[in-house]
Amino acid sequence: MNKFSRDRVKGFLRTEGTRIVNGDGDEVILQGFGAGNWTNPEGFMVGAPKEIKLVGDIFSPDYIPPRRLDRRWTFDLTVRELCGSAYAEAFWGKWHRNHLAEADIKEMAAMGLNSVRLPLNSDAFLKEEPGLVWDEDGFAMLDDVIDWCEKHRVYAILDMHSSPGGQSGTACDGGYDNRPHLFIDEESWDRALALWERLAIRYKDRWIVGGYDLLNEPVNTPNFRHLNSKLAEFYEAAIAVIRKHDKNHMFTLEGPQFSRATDIFNRQYDPECNNWVIHIHLYGPSPEKQSLAWYIKKSQDYNVPIWIGEGGSYSESNAAFYEICADYGVGFNLWCWKTAKDGPFPGNSVQYHLPKDWEAVRGYANGGPKPGYEKSQAIFNELLENIKFENCAVNREHIRITRRSPDLMLPAVSYDNLPGDGKSYCGTWDHGNVLGFRLSDRTKLILAPGIDDPVPGFEMFEVKDLPRPHDPLKTLMIELAEGEFATYTVRDVKTPCAVAIESMSPDGAAVLVTSEAGDSYEYEIKSDSLAWQETITLKPGIEHCVKVLVNSGTAQVKMIHFRG
């Protein structure tokens, strides 16, 4: 099974039922990062004052004006105020090329990723001037990125993160204010369609462009829910415009409410080509198939794939959840590739240091004194240098663990999905577990030693320090009786990989550990405390599936360690 491999990056992506396939018809599970802050810097990730929130009181029906540095629009204004117009005119071309260069795309490929979501701010391509005034430098810069993607075999998903006028009602859309003007202003609507038409004409023959993400997180907040019908109309209008020129590319369509709601997916959006995907965003989901259940139903109702185009959790949770997702053809795109070092998403991937005098810029953004033109230019010049890949700190562990590559410590409750087809065990336990985790599998999951029983209903009281287990991967383990088993998949094994099992059995058990390659090791255990046992050694290979079977007695298993 090689559907994660970059070897499958070939030919236009298209949908076949609920799966995405390449030009050869082979299934592709998209795995990648979103290149946030590249053409669409968002204040909370790039060093804006900490008081500027991602959302907050924008849920109010009252008008909330934007603030300095909270989006590209006000970031540009701040640069102009501090550094002068001539400096500001040259700034964005340098920012674009330094923030996402060939070194970044090459690193994504080296991490084994097969795709990148490219967030586009319309201001980088269509100037805010009367008529349609195109920024050819922006298109040339995008051409370069797409060329690098083809060179390094990484599908590029074009993501309209910030449409003309803005579509979200939040700062992430880079709009004039916290109002989705795309659906309010006729001119913004027309300009958005014109921009998508221009992109389609330019890239209609580029197979490395994996798809068109027509709008990022449209109509986010409840006070604009009445615009959901306009969102559906926009998708139909944009697809019609694009299909006049481009029959090749796949669409990814996001629902409202931070791309979580699915009500608008009630029709065939691409009747001519039937080549579209329901695109959702999931941050910190419980790593079980229940988190996908509603979306899978929509997928089956309209026979289209699901893609988690933005989201993520901590590495071990990703490793558990995305393995389940892949069984349903669902890929993932983590957010975000590059951020300021003191921002959110710590350690996700690539981080840069803010300039040493950056607090002077933050102070000005909060109403403090201007640092002066010369000092301000020096600060922003330092920022432009810091964001280059070669000057950043790179965390490769997060994506390595997410993709299940050794050295990998995998909780035993992260057993493989799809029970009943021989891949993983489906149990007979009908009594659930204390955290209600993976109930449909009917596996017996128990609290690990040292974890106190939770107190049902206690959350109704104001008890702040009550220790309660909440993360099943850290607090539960699997109990297997005679004849029961669980399987665990690991990928990209580059060197011989020893498999160690952490288990216990107060009454005694015989445990057999095998691999699909024929490796086998049986051990006896009788202990009321957890202990590690070295078992088989996996040879280098693209993918291995390890089976833990109880031949006699009952064993309780906490962790599987693939020691690469």
Side-chain angles (χ1 to χ4, degrees), residues 72-73 80 89 92 121-139 164-165 176 187 191 195 198:
R72 179 180 172 127
W73 187 261
R80 289 179 185 276
E89 290 296 330
W92 289 109
N121 186 302
S122 60
D123 288 352
F125 308 95
L126 177 57
K127 295 184 179 182
E128 284 293 337
E129 299 290 345
L132 298 177
V133 181
W134 303 108
D135 189 328
E136 293 303 331
D137 184 66
F139 284 103
Y176 312 130
E187 185 174 61
R191 288 167 66 83
L195 177 52
R198 181 117 178 158

Side-chain angles (χ1 to χ4, degrees), residues 540-557:
I542 294 172
E543 179 176 292
H544 288 281
C545 184
V546 171
K547 182 176 182 179
V548 179
L549 167 68
V550 174
N551 277 336
S552 65
T554 298
Q556 298 160 350
V557 186

Side-chain angles (χ1 to χ4, degrees), residues 17 29 50 105 126 153 172 211 231 265 310 326 330 366 371 395 449 453 490 524:
I29 303 294
K50 298 294 186 179
I105 303 299
L126 177 57
R153 298 174 69 161
C172 69
L231 168 60
F265 300 121
E310 185 177 313
V330 179
N366 261 339
N395 178 9
D453 286 336
V490 63
E524 302 282 338

Side-chain angles (χ1 to χ4, degrees), residues 123-166:
D123 288 352
F125 308 95
L126 177 57
K127 295 184 179 182
E128 284 293 337
E129 299 290 345
L132 298 177
V133 181
W134 303 108
D135 189 328
E136 293 303 331
D137 184 66
F139 284 103
M141 172 271 300
L142 180 55
D143 289 344
D144 288 341
V145 174
I146 291 172
D147 287 344
W148 298 329
C149 286
E150 186 168 348
K151 176 180 177 181
H152 296 288
R153 298 174 69 161
V154 176
Y155 278 118
I157 311 295
L158 303 189
D159 153 34
M160 191 59 66
H161 220 80
S162 172
S163 71

Side-chain angles (χ1 to χ4, degrees), residues 193-240:
L193 293 179
L195 177 52
W196 265 121
E197 183 172 34
R198 181 117 178 158
L199 289 165
I201 292 171
R202 192 178 189 100
Y203 300 117
K204 60 185 173 63
D205 297 321
R206 296 300 302 269
W207 65 266
I208 196 63
V209 174
Y212 299 149
D213 180 4
L214 294 183
L215 291 174
N216 174 73
E217 295 189 351
V219 196
N220 274 345
T221 56
N223 48 321
F224 295 117
R225 200 164 290 169
H226 62 284
L227 295 173
N228 287 357
S229 61
K230 292 286 289 183
L231 168 60
E233 290 176 25
F234 179 82
Y235 283 157
E236 290 180 327
I239 290 171

